[in-house]
Amino acid sequence: MTENTQTPSSPTSELPTTYAPAEVEGKLYERWVERGYFEADAKSEKPAYTIVIPPPNVTGSLHLGHAFQHTLMDALTRRKRMQGYESLWLPGMDHAGIATQNKVEQQLAEEGKSRHDLGREEFTDRVWKWKEEYGGKILGQMRRLGDGVDWSRERFTMDEGLSKAVQTIFKRLYDDELIYRAERIINWCPRCLTAISDIEVEYQDDAGELVSIRYGEGEDSLVVATTRAETMLGDTAVAVHPDDERYAHLIGKQIKLPLTDRTIPVVADTHVDPEFGTGAVKVTPAHDPNDFAIGQRHDLQSLTVMDEHGVITVHGPFLGLDRFEARSAIVGALREQGRIVAEKRPYMHSVGHCSRCKTTVEPRLSMQWWVKVGPLAQAAGDAVRDGRVKIHPEDMSKRYFDWVDNMHDWCISRQLWWGHRIPIWYGPEGQVVCVGPDEQPPTGEGWTQDADVLDTWFSSGLWPFSTLGWPERTPDLEKFYATDVLLTGHDIIFFWVARMMMFGLYAMDGVAPFHTIALTGLVRDEFGKKMSKSNPNAVDPLDWMDKYGSDAVRFTLAKGANPGADVPIGEDWVQASSKFANKIWNATRFALMNGATIEGELPPVERLSATDRWILSRLNKTVAQVDAYYEDYQFSKLSEALYHFAWDEVFDWYVELSKTTFFAGGEQAQVSGRVLGEVVDVMLRLLHPIVPFVTETLWTTLTGGESLVIADWPKDSGFRDEAAEAEIASVQSVITEVRRFRKEQGLQDGQKVPARLDLGATALGAHEAAIRQLLRLQPEGDSFSATATLPVAGGTVALDLSGTIDVAAERKRLTKDLGAAEKEKQQAEAKLGNEAFIAKAPDNVVDKIKGRLAKAEADIARLQAQLDGLPAA
């Protein structure tokens, strides 16, 4: 339990009768920021707890995926701060090379210009201006959500400090021969005019064409099939399997390449599958990664036949055609020559697209810079295997290992102007010099810097330590690295998580960048469909915040957050969470109006009623349960636990059961008022990390405390009272059973009924006043006539329903229902008594019938008891 001896301010006079989020949230957040609650102190003696935000793109705006992950990160850091940690949640943005450059180029296009009209320096200045004016929209939206980030430490991947970190690690990797330059096949986007990495290519089934083409003449001919006929202009061989007897006579020979004046060799290579298609494949080393590997093994020439725009650059008739125009033209020319053996349209096949602009990617031979990932990926895998880093949920580790254990060298150069320029200078005599951040680049005639910039993921891969001041050994780095948890979507394990693991272990002497990788799913609509701007199901979370409040959005998202699983969300659920916030508000106001207080110590156990002891026992169990769920990143379960404790146990049961005590006044009312104050105090603390605004307003009113942001997190005192819990469970059983009976009889909720309670010698007798009040049961009176008697836990409740129900009609209804229940029982018993059926029926079918039998028996007992309770006709 928590202790709080502050004097509360005037209670309900400070609280409006209804909760209006729009009037509360903005002012509260600015007060938190102004008072520095979210700022972390590197000199503090407190233990550190650190999360760095997955940096949103400078071009981005808040979407439900951001709101989802930010809610969970905020909950973690708020709780740790309350637990006494120096809690740092570090914000910032990513420069987002291609996306941002595209934004500014679109702006220029509207002016009838291109970046080349401005030149590199002026264009880069223009992007910086765009960033200052339009970038970072999401940062303001994060305030709306309530993100408790340390704004004094906000970073940007191209600020001076992070740029120094990028240059430093490039230099170290280069000197350690882990960065190199080579001509390889890369993924090229003809729209963005840059190389993109494998993980930035999205594959989808497209309707194309498959054409089979005859190469060579007569017996010295064979057939190859392709979906990219335009690349045949760059073929430099045909490959067959060395053991394929069909082509043994051709291996080593030259055959005529159609539409050209060239001959090309037939080579034997084990990469070819003789069972697939014709068993012969065209080899275009400059335009296909597998063909490039074959070309390397057989010392084949690599002929580039397309420029960076996807336009054909060779062979007169097709020169200047777009790649797709050339495809049709080449197939037509081959058809005229009788070279087309077969055509299939449409032919569905997997085609790569640029993840940013959706243009079909073109494999292209290009000179690029690469990271040799072998030793780095090995270290990243080992850190998880040996337990230094935990992946949660554990079953997601397979996806991580599938990537790091099979990673190809990483192409890090991009043909853009916006980004970190590659720190390589070329000299007039072919010199290549890598320049570190504290070194002067070479000068003199003929020296030029590499024109490319680095992949955005190169700089964001340094995020957990570059944001803390690396390469300097800053106090922030010493205090807050390694970070405690990386909470991010499972969809960027490959993009970002693996990069940070590789760079963190390399730069920080084997210390991994985080202790835990907590992976979430993706937010989907209420039907489980992916949200997309092109679909009508896309939702702007700000619209929901305007309508229902940020707390409602946050609670809905947290309640759906099962580790690693996708999160469905619909407006109805946000509306339900809004009702929960209002319930907290109204119930707390009631508590304050009825003497709830935190003044003084809790009364000793002997002064507490069973109801008081029950709720304190449940409170401590809830504290322990919520703590366990937090440590296991079970946000959905902890949200459900808090919801049911607050709504069901505190508001629907404890408050209701205690009303008679409060109305009676006196010493016991004061005792229960202190208990209620304790319960509401702790409940609001537990809820605060997820719903910070409504809880802050209520808690400061209840306690007079400065802020929940810096209040203590509740602790389980160890108090348990199983006897009180069993006693109140009996009370709940009585009330629930009678309520159900009243509903079956069609009685209105507020309709009063005379009743006699025979609760025997059990402890239920102490609760008779509360039971009567909650069930609207009047004293029996002189003319009482028991028309219905209900067996309840530990006794009976006799009701006088004369004048409220038609006894004859009720007897008829119950008799009919009893007959149906007895028939159901007979049918179930007959099946379960049939040995032949039991021998053949699956276990789940047998279990289902057993369940039907148990229900029928329970219904019979209940209905018979109700019939017995009715007066004789």
Side-chain angles (χ1 to χ4, degrees), residues 117-169:
D117 294 323
L118 274 65
R120 184 169 195 142
E121 185 175 348
E122 188 177 343
F123 176 77
T124 303
D125 288 343
R126 179 77 174 252
V127 181
W128 275 107
K129 289 177 182 176
W130 183 93
K131 183 260 179 186
E132 294 304 320
E133 186 173 355
Y134 301 105
K137 178 182 179 182
I138 193 173
L139 298 180
Q141 295 168 336
M142 286 164 55
R143 293 173 177 262
R144 283 288 313 280
L145 189 64
D147 284 6
V149 296
D150 185 346
W151 293 109
S152 71
R153 285 178 166 83
E154 181 188 335
R155 304 304 300 267
F156 178 54
T157 48
M158 282 184 62
D159 66 27
E160 184 178 352
L162 269 63
S163 295
K164 180 178 181 181
V166 168
Q167 198 171 352
T168 299
I169 202 163

Side-chain angles (χ1 to χ4, degrees), residues 20-91:
E23 297 176 12
V24 170
E25 294 176 349
K27 295 175 184 177
L28 264 187
Y29 187 83
E30 291 310 315
R31 186 163 71 208
W32 291 334
V33 173
E34 288 168 6
R35 293 182 179 181
Y37 292 155
F38 304 137
E39 294 180 13
D41 183 2
K43 298 178 182 178
S44 170
E45 296 296 320
K46 297 177 183 178
Y49 183 82
T50 316
I51 295 180
V52 290
I53 203 168
N57 287 350
V58 69
T59 59
S61 59
L62 190 74
H63 57 64
L64 274 173
H66 289 127
F68 169 54
Q69 292 179 357
H70 287 205
T71 294
L72 306 188
M73 286 184 278
D74 195 31
L76 290 172
T77 49
R78 283 178 182 269
R79 172 175 174 262
K80 285 295 184 180
R81 187 179 294 111
M82 295 173 75
Q83 286 183 312
Y85 286 79
E86 197 62 33
S87 189
L88 169 61
W89 185 18
L90 193 149

